[in-house]
Amino acid sequence: MIELSNVDKHYGSLQVLSNVSMHFADGEVTAILGPSGAGKSTLIRCINCLEAISGGDIVVNGKSVRDKRAVLDIQKQTSMVFQHFNLYPHLTALQNITLAPIKVLRKNKADVEAQARGLLDMVGLASKGDRHPAELSGGEQQRVGICRALAMNPQHLLLDEVTSAIDPEMTAEVLRVIEELAGTGTTLILVTHEIEFARRIADKVAFMEGGKLVAHSDAETFFNHQ
Ligand code: ADP
Ligand code: ADP
């Protein structure tokens, strides 16, 4: 459960988020739509404590992002998948996936590797765990990025334009993986320009413009009024 109350965010004199209030219920799939520069990416980066908010509050499972001691807990419950993958180039796909569960969650290496191999299999990359990111296509790297996020067993998964940097012919496999995650109980929040995809999988749609939340409703209501 994620609750935003009157969230403001500015970079110097640039107001990027203005008085945003909304909540994300457990298990819900929300698509965040809106033009470039609307503040969508900043919003989810603030939820994941990658950026500090300037005003208001964000509470994740009862803990505020303003509480420094809560940051690690919030990040354990809330995994992020990035537009540009952000994989470690010197590590293999498998090592990218297992790093945080071993180092941050202090889980048993063999258990984590077994789970990682299962995740790679789920995204169609069972044979590529030993490749480095440079040896994988963009679509394959992004599927590794999704596995890395899922290896933390997060309650919430935040996806930041995860297909925007991938060749169009490679996006289908990535979208298929995300579609499989919808309805599995994980809360999904996806910033996307894939409108048809959002229409297919989202329960809720949030529309942002100029740092403001201008619409937030059931996906059906949103799309029927377009
Ligand atoms: P969106 O995801 O909707 O495209 P962003 O959240 O990425 O929008 O960006 C919103 C605005 O904030 C843009 O004007 C962008 O240039 C600005 N911005 C984002 N990150 C920073 C930063 N670290 N420093 C200064 N401005 C930033
Ligand atoms: P990713 O694809 O990993 O989400 P982006 O390319 O959107 O990353 O942004 C990379 C970094 O650049 C982010 O930390 C973001 O805050 C910062 N950034 C984005 N826009 C601006 C801006 N106008 N000025 C300064 N930093 C920015």
Side-chain angles (χ1 to χ4, degrees):
M1 163 83 167
I2 301 173
E3 186 89 44
L4 284 72
S5 320
N6 309 106
V7 173
D8 284 318
K9 169 72 181 172
H10 49 79
Y11 291 110
S13 61
L14 179 69
Q15 185 88 18
V16 180
L17 296 174
S18 301
N19 203 30
V20 176
S21 297
M22 63 191 302
H23 90 276
F24 301 94
D26 291 340
E28 213 169 59
V29 178
T30 303
I32 304 183
L33 309 178
S36 190
K40 306 180 299 294
S41 177
T42 301
L43 182 85
I44 63 173
R45 293 172 68 87
C46 288
I47 293 172
N48 203 35
C49 306
L50 294 175
E51 300 281 353
I53 55 177
S54 311
D57 204 1
I58 300 176
V59 175
V60 179
N61 291 335
K63 292 191 174 167
S64 167
V65 298
R66 295 184 160 279
D67 177 3
K68 292 267 181 294
R69 292 162 305 176
V71 167
L72 189 60
D73 270 344
I74 291 174
Q75 290 182 337
K76 282 180 187 168
Q77 295 160 3
T78 309
S79 281
M80 181 110 171
V81 183
F82 300 91
Q83 181 175 4
H84 296 290
F85 327 135
N86 298 11
L87 298 176
Y88 294 108
H90 60 293
L91 299 180
T92 65
L94 191 78
Q95 289 166 340
N96 265 282
I97 298 167
T98 59
L99 185 70
I102 292 170
K103 299 281 183 206
V104 180
L105 302 182
R106 307 208 166 275
K107 285 193 174 168
N108 174 278
K109 189 170 181 230
D111 292 346
V112 171
E113 285 184 356
Q115 187 200 3
R117 289 189 194 286
L119 288 168
L120 281 167
D121 189 36
M122 178 190 87
V123 303
L125 296 175
S127 65
K128 300 195 173 170
D130 295 331
R131 303 268 183 100
H132 285 79
E135 300 169 297
L136 299 170
S137 72
E140 289 172 339
Q141 289 184 62
Q142 192 56 291
R143 282 181 274 156
V144 174
I146 293 171
C147 290
R148 179 177 57 176
L150 291 175
M152 297 297 281
N153 297 316
Q155 187 182 343
H156 316 106
L157 191 63
L158 311 179
L159 303 122
D160 190 3
E161 291 195 37
V162 297
T163 57
S164 298
I166 300 174
D167 291 339
E169 61 271 26
M170 301 283 184
T171 61
E173 270 300 292
V174 174
L175 295 180
R176 181 189 64 77
V177 170
I178 298 168
E179 191 160 4
E180 276 181 18
L181 297 173
T184 59
T186 306
T187 308
L188 299 186
I189 304 176
L190 47 135
V191 171
T192 185
H193 292 293
E194 305 267 359
I195 304 291
E196 281 312 311
F197 181 65
R199 185 195 283 270
R200 201 160 74 233
I201 76 159
D203 301 312
K204 295 268 175 74
V205 172
F207 192 88
M208 295 186 66
E209 204 159 14
K212 295 194 169 72
L213 180 66
V214 296
H216 185 207
S217 65
D218 287 344
E220 209 180 311
T221 309
F222 180 86
F223 287 116
N224 288 338
H225 286 81
Q226 284 300 291

